[in-house]
Amino acid sequence: MNSKGLTFTAVGAGTAKVEAKLIQNPGKTNESTLKTVDSSMEVVADSTELTYSINPVSDLYATLDSGVVKDAEKLLAPATEWVFNGSLGRKVEITAKNISGEAVAIPAGRVISASSSDQNVAKVAQNGGDIVVVGNKAGKATITVVYKLANGSTKDETVAVNVKADQVVASTVTADGSNDITMPTVTPVTVAAHTLLPSLKIVDNYGVEYTDAELVRYADLLGDIYR
C-alpha cells in the first residue's frame, strides 16, 4: 500500500472478497469509519487461456541523437541515471485478456529478449525481464519482443515505433493554486523550486509527464524556470 493505492499479490487461484475502509483518526478513541467499499477479485490459474498482446508504443523523441540531452540519459547499461529509469524512453508493456475479453493483470518482467529492426532509428535497453525503447534518429522501426506466457510457453511479437526529431518542449504546466512555506530568516537555505508548488506537473509535446524529482532531472531539457 502507498499514497496512490493498493497492490495485491496472488498466492493461488480462486475468488476473494476485498474490503477497503476510509478511517478517520485510526487507533484513537474517536476512530470512525467514513466509507467502506466492497469488491471481489478473481485469481486465475496459470493454465487459463489468455490472449497476450503488446501495447502500441507512442512516438519517441530522438534522444540518442540529441545535442541537448545529457549523456547520462543516453546510457543503455545500468547506472544511477540511464534510459531505463528515465522519462525519455518508452517501456514496452504486455497485456492479457481472458476469453471474455476482460483484462487480466499479469506480473511484469516477462521479456526474454528484444531487438530493433533499425538501430539507427531506435534501440532497446533491457533490465531483467523489462525493456525500454529509446529513440536514436528520426524514422520508423519495429521492435521484436520474445516474452513468457503464464503457462510457461513463449511468444514473439513485433511493435512499430516512430521516432521524431521535434525538440522536447513543455506543452502544459499545472499545479495547486497556493502553498504556504516558512523560510529561515537567519541561515541561508536552498530549496528545490518545484517543492514550492504542490502537485506541479509538466507534460511535454510527446505526452510524457514530469513530476517531483523528474522536474529537476529534466529542467534543462524542458527549459523550466522558476521566478
mmCIF file of all heavy atoms in Angstrom, residues 173-201:
data_model
loop_
_atom_site.group_PDB
_atom_site.id
_atom_site.type_symbol
_atom_site.label_atom_id
_atom_site.label_comp_id
_atom_site.label_asym_id
_atom_site.label_seq_id
_atom_site.Cartn_x
_atom_site.Cartn_y
_atom_site.Cartn_z
ATOM 1 N N VAL A 173 1.475 22.992 -18.123
ATOM 2 C CA VAL A 173 2.035 23.090 -16.775
ATOM 3 C C VAL A 173 0.876 23.290 -15.811
ATOM 4 O O VAL A 173 0.080 24.220 -15.966
ATOM 5 C CB VAL A 173 3.020 24.269 -16.645
ATOM 6 C CG1 VAL A 173 3.575 24.331 -15.229
ATOM 7 C CG2 VAL A 173 4.146 24.147 -17.656
ATOM 8 N N THR A 174 0.768 22.399 -14.813
ATOM 9 C CA THR A 174 -0.308 22.509 -13.840
ATOM 10 C C THR A 174 0.256 22.369 -12.425
ATOM 11 O O THR A 174 1.298 21.750 -12.218
ATOM 12 C CB THR A 174 -1.384 21.425 -14.051
ATOM 13 O OG1 THR A 174 -0.769 20.123 -13.990
ATOM 14 C CG2 THR A 174 -2.062 21.593 -15.397
ATOM 15 N N ALA A 175 -0.441 22.963 -11.461
ATOM 16 C CA ALA A 175 -0.043 22.879 -10.052
ATOM 17 C C ALA A 175 -1.192 23.336 -9.192
ATOM 18 O O ALA A 175 -2.141 23.978 -9.676
ATOM 19 C CB ALA A 175 1.194 23.739 -9.786
ATOM 20 N N ASP A 176 -1.109 22.998 -7.887
ATOM 21 C CA ASP A 176 -2.100 23.511 -6.955
ATOM 22 C C ASP A 176 -1.952 25.024 -6.862
ATOM 23 O O ASP A 176 -0.865 25.571 -7.058
ATOM 24 C CB ASP A 176 -1.919 22.886 -5.567
ATOM 25 C CG ASP A 176 -2.370 21.436 -5.540
ATOM 26 O OD1 ASP A 176 -2.985 20.992 -6.530
ATOM 27 O OD2 ASP A 176 -2.104 20.750 -4.540
ATOM 28 N N GLY A 177 -3.037 25.699 -6.497
ATOM 29 C CA GLY A 177 -3.050 27.152 -6.533
ATOM 30 C C GLY A 177 -2.130 27.860 -5.568
ATOM 31 O O GLY A 177 -1.559 28.898 -5.887
ATOM 32 N N SER A 178 -1.956 27.331 -4.360
ATOM 33 C CA SER A 178 -1.167 28.064 -3.379
ATOM 34 C C SER A 178 -0.470 27.113 -2.420
ATOM 35 O O SER A 178 -0.861 25.961 -2.269
ATOM 36 C CB SER A 178 -2.062 29.025 -2.585
ATOM 37 O OG SER A 178 -3.037 28.293 -1.862
ATOM 38 N N ASN A 179 0.552 27.636 -1.763
ATOM 39 C CA ASN A 179 1.285 26.842 -0.790
ATOM 40 C C ASN A 179 1.989 27.781 0.181
ATOM 41 O O ASN A 179 2.743 28.654 -0.236
ATOM 42 C CB ASN A 179 2.312 25.943 -1.490
ATOM 43 C CG ASN A 179 2.931 24.942 -0.540
ATOM 44 O OD1 ASN A 179 2.300 24.524 0.425
ATOM 45 N ND2 ASN A 179 4.167 24.548 -0.804
ATOM 46 N N ASP A 180 1.730 27.621 1.472
ATOM 47 C CA ASP A 180 2.362 28.460 2.479
ATOM 48 C C ASP A 180 3.631 27.786 2.977
ATOM 49 O O ASP A 180 3.606 26.633 3.412
ATOM 50 C CB ASP A 180 1.418 28.694 3.660
ATOM 51 C CG ASP A 180 0.187 29.497 3.249
ATOM 52 O OD1 ASP A 180 0.332 30.341 2.343
ATOM 53 O OD2 ASP A 180 -0.885 29.272 3.822
ATOM 54 N N ILE A 181 4.758 28.505 2.907
ATOM 55 C CA ILE A 181 6.047 27.959 3.307
ATOM 56 C C ILE A 181 6.735 28.915 4.261
ATOM 57 O O ILE A 181 6.773 30.123 4.015
ATOM 58 C CB ILE A 181 6.949 27.715 2.080
ATOM 59 C CG1 ILE A 181 6.321 26.652 1.181
ATOM 60 C CG2 ILE A 181 8.349 27.275 2.504
ATOM 61 C CD1 ILE A 181 7.104 26.402 -0.076
ATOM 62 N N THR A 182 7.273 28.369 5.354
ATOM 63 C CA THR A 182 8.027 29.177 6.306
ATOM 64 C C THR A 182 9.513 28.993 6.019
ATOM 65 O O THR A 182 10.035 27.888 6.075
ATOM 66 C CB THR A 182 7.730 28.749 7.756
ATOM 67 O OG1 THR A 182 6.330 28.909 8.003
ATOM 68 C CG2 THR A 182 8.537 29.592 8.731
ATOM 69 N N MET A 183 10.196 30.087 5.712
ATOM 70 C CA MET A 183 11.614 30.037 5.367
ATOM 71 C C MET A 183 12.444 30.611 6.517
ATOM 72 O O MET A 183 12.019 31.552 7.184
ATOM 73 C CB MET A 183 11.874 30.850 4.092
ATOM 74 C CG MET A 183 11.119 30.352 2.873
ATOM 75 S SD MET A 183 11.764 28.801 2.247
ATOM 76 C CE MET A 183 13.298 29.382 1.523
ATOM 77 N N PRO A 184 13.646 30.044 6.749
ATOM 78 C CA PRO A 184 14.525 30.583 7.789
ATOM 79 C C PRO A 184 14.884 32.038 7.498
ATOM 80 O O PRO A 184 15.044 32.427 6.343
ATOM 81 C CB PRO A 184 15.757 29.683 7.692
ATOM 82 C CG PRO A 184 15.273 28.437 7.036
ATOM 83 C CD PRO A 184 14.207 28.868 6.085
ATOM 84 N N THR A 185 15.003 32.848 8.543
ATOM 85 C CA THR A 185 15.316 34.265 8.367
ATOM 86 C C THR A 185 16.779 34.584 8.634
ATOM 87 O O THR A 185 17.235 35.682 8.353
ATOM 88 C CB THR A 185 14.450 35.124 9.301
ATOM 89 O OG1 THR A 185 14.674 34.703 10.654
ATOM 90 C CG2 THR A 185 12.977 34.975 8.966
ATOM 91 N N VAL A 186 17.524 33.613 9.199
ATOM 92 C CA VAL A 186 18.918 33.854 9.546
ATOM 93 C C VAL A 186 19.865 33.047 8.668
ATOM 94 O O VAL A 186 20.702 33.586 7.956
ATOM 95 C CB VAL A 186 19.188 33.529 11.037
ATOM 96 C CG1 VAL A 186 20.666 33.771 11.367
ATOM 97 C CG2 VAL A 186 18.290 34.364 11.934
ATOM 98 N N THR A 187 19.729 31.727 8.728
ATOM 99 C CA THR A 187 20.635 30.853 7.976
ATOM 100 C C THR A 187 20.121 30.676 6.551
ATOM 101 O O THR A 187 18.980 30.264 6.345
ATOM 102 C CB THR A 187 20.743 29.482 8.658
ATOM 103 O OG1 THR A 187 21.149 29.673 10.009
ATOM 104 C CG2 THR A 187 21.758 28.614 7.929
ATOM 105 N N PRO A 188 20.944 30.964 5.548
ATOM 106 C CA PRO A 188 20.524 30.751 4.165
ATOM 107 C C PRO A 188 20.201 29.272 3.930
ATOM 108 O O PRO A 188 20.849 28.388 4.496
ATOM 109 C CB PRO A 188 21.749 31.176 3.350
ATOM 110 C CG PRO A 188 22.508 32.076 4.268
ATOM 111 C CD PRO A 188 22.294 31.535 5.645
ATOM 112 N N VAL A 189 19.212 29.000 3.125
ATOM 113 C CA VAL A 189 18.817 27.621 2.845
ATOM 114 C C VAL A 189 18.463 27.499 1.373
ATOM 115 O O VAL A 189 17.952 28.438 0.768
ATOM 116 C CB VAL A 189 17.618 27.198 3.727
ATOM 117 C CG1 VAL A 189 16.397 28.050 3.411
ATOM 118 C CG2 VAL A 189 17.293 25.713 3.535
ATOM 119 N N THR A 190 18.795 26.347 0.824
ATOM 120 C CA THR A 190 18.456 26.066 -0.573
ATOM 121 C C THR A 190 17.239 25.162 -0.627
ATOM 122 O O THR A 190 17.198 24.126 0.028
ATOM 123 C CB THR A 190 19.634 25.376 -1.293
ATOM 124 O OG1 THR A 190 20.772 26.238 -1.245
ATOM 125 C CG2 THR A 190 19.280 25.080 -2.745
ATOM 126 N N VAL A 191 16.245 25.558 -1.394
ATOM 127 C CA VAL A 191 15.008 24.794 -1.508
ATOM 128 C C VAL A 191 14.783 24.451 -2.979
ATOM 129 O O VAL A 191 14.910 25.323 -3.844
ATOM 130 C CB VAL A 191 13.800 25.601 -0.975
ATOM 131 C CG1 VAL A 191 12.512 24.811 -1.158
ATOM 132 C CG2 VAL A 191 14.010 25.959 0.485
ATOM 133 N N ALA A 192 14.465 23.176 -3.241
ATOM 134 C CA ALA A 192 14.147 22.777 -4.616
ATOM 135 C C ALA A 192 12.907 23.546 -5.055
ATOM 136 O O ALA A 192 11.863 23.485 -4.408
ATOM 137 C CB ALA A 192 13.900 21.275 -4.687
ATOM 138 N N ALA A 193 13.049 24.278 -6.144
ATOM 139 C CA ALA A 193 11.973 25.177 -6.567
ATOM 140 C C ALA A 193 10.651 24.452 -6.791
ATOM 141 O O ALA A 193 9.582 24.980 -6.471
ATOM 142 C CB ALA A 193 12.397 25.904 -7.842
ATOM 143 N N HIS A 194 10.708 23.212 -7.331
ATOM 144 C CA HIS A 194 9.450 22.531 -7.643
ATOM 145 C C HIS A 194 8.657 22.178 -6.395
ATOM 146 O O HIS A 194 7.441 21.958 -6.466
ATOM 147 C CB HIS A 194 9.718 21.263 -8.462
ATOM 148 C CG HIS A 194 10.336 20.144 -7.688
ATOM 149 N ND1 HIS A 194 11.689 20.065 -7.463
ATOM 150 C CD2 HIS A 194 9.785 19.065 -7.079
ATOM 151 C CE1 HIS A 194 11.955 18.972 -6.749
ATOM 152 N NE2 HIS A 194 10.822 18.359 -6.501
ATOM 153 N N THR A 195 9.330 22.149 -5.210
ATOM 154 C CA THR A 195 8.606 21.832 -3.981
ATOM 155 C C THR A 195 7.759 23.002 -3.494
ATOM 156 O O THR A 195 6.916 22.837 -2.620
ATOM 157 C CB THR A 195 9.582 21.416 -2.860
ATOM 158 O OG1 THR A 195 10.427 22.539 -2.539
ATOM 159 C CG2 THR A 195 10.442 20.239 -3.290
ATOM 160 N N LEU A 196 7.984 24.169 -4.044
ATOM 161 C CA LEU A 196 7.202 25.343 -3.650
ATOM 162 C C LEU A 196 5.817 25.340 -4.284
ATOM 163 O O LEU A 196 4.938 26.092 -3.876
ATOM 164 C CB LEU A 196 7.944 26.622 -4.051
ATOM 165 C CG LEU A 196 9.363 26.787 -3.478
ATOM 166 C CD1 LEU A 196 9.974 28.080 -3.969
ATOM 167 C CD2 LEU A 196 9.335 26.737 -1.955
ATOM 168 N N LEU A 197 5.631 24.507 -5.288
ATOM 169 C CA LEU A 197 4.343 24.416 -5.971
ATOM 170 C C LEU A 197 3.805 22.999 -5.814
ATOM 171 O O LEU A 197 4.264 22.078 -6.488
ATOM 172 C CB LEU A 197 4.484 24.748 -7.457
ATOM 173 C CG LEU A 197 4.829 26.190 -7.814
ATOM 174 C CD1 LEU A 197 5.133 26.305 -9.302
ATOM 175 C CD2 LEU A 197 3.670 27.106 -7.445
ATOM 176 N N PRO A 198 2.846 22.771 -4.936
ATOM 177 C CA PRO A 198 2.311 21.431 -4.725
ATOM 178 C C PRO A 198 1.733 20.829 -6.010
ATOM 179 O O PRO A 198 1.065 21.507 -6.787
ATOM 180 C CB PRO A 198 1.202 21.655 -3.679
ATOM 181 C CG PRO A 198 1.546 22.944 -3.027
ATOM 182 C CD PRO A 198 2.195 23.776 -4.076
ATOM 183 N N SER A 199 2.021 19.561 -6.218
ATOM 184 C CA SER A 199 1.470 18.817 -7.365
ATOM 185 C C SER A 199 1.849 19.424 -8.706
ATOM 186 O O SER A 199 1.112 19.295 -9.694
ATOM 187 C CB SER A 199 -0.064 18.717 -7.265
ATOM 188 O OG SER A 199 -0.442 18.102 -6.060
ATOM 189 N N LEU A 200 3.022 20.081 -8.762
ATOM 190 C CA LEU A 200 3.477 20.641 -10.032
ATOM 191 C C LEU A 200 3.717 19.517 -11.035
ATOM 192 O O LEU A 200 4.377 18.523 -10.729
ATOM 193 C CB LEU A 200 4.765 21.438 -9.837
ATOM 194 C CG LEU A 200 5.424 21.996 -11.099
ATOM 195 C CD1 LEU A 200 4.488 22.968 -11.810
ATOM 196 C CD2 LEU A 200 6.743 22.674 -10.750
ATOM 197 N N LYS A 201 3.167 19.662 -12.224
ATOM 198 C CA LYS A 201 3.323 18.654 -13.277
ATOM 199 C C LYS A 201 3.483 19.338 -14.627
ATOM 200 O O LYS A 201 2.721 20.237 -14.965
ATOM 201 C CB LYS A 201 2.121 17.706 -13.320
ATOM 202 C CG LYS A 201 2.202 16.657 -14.421
ATOM 203 C CD LYS A 201 1.061 15.656 -14.335
ATOM 204 C CE LYS A 201 -0.268 16.262 -14.703
ATOM 205 N NZ LYS A 201 -1.361 15.243 -14.739
#
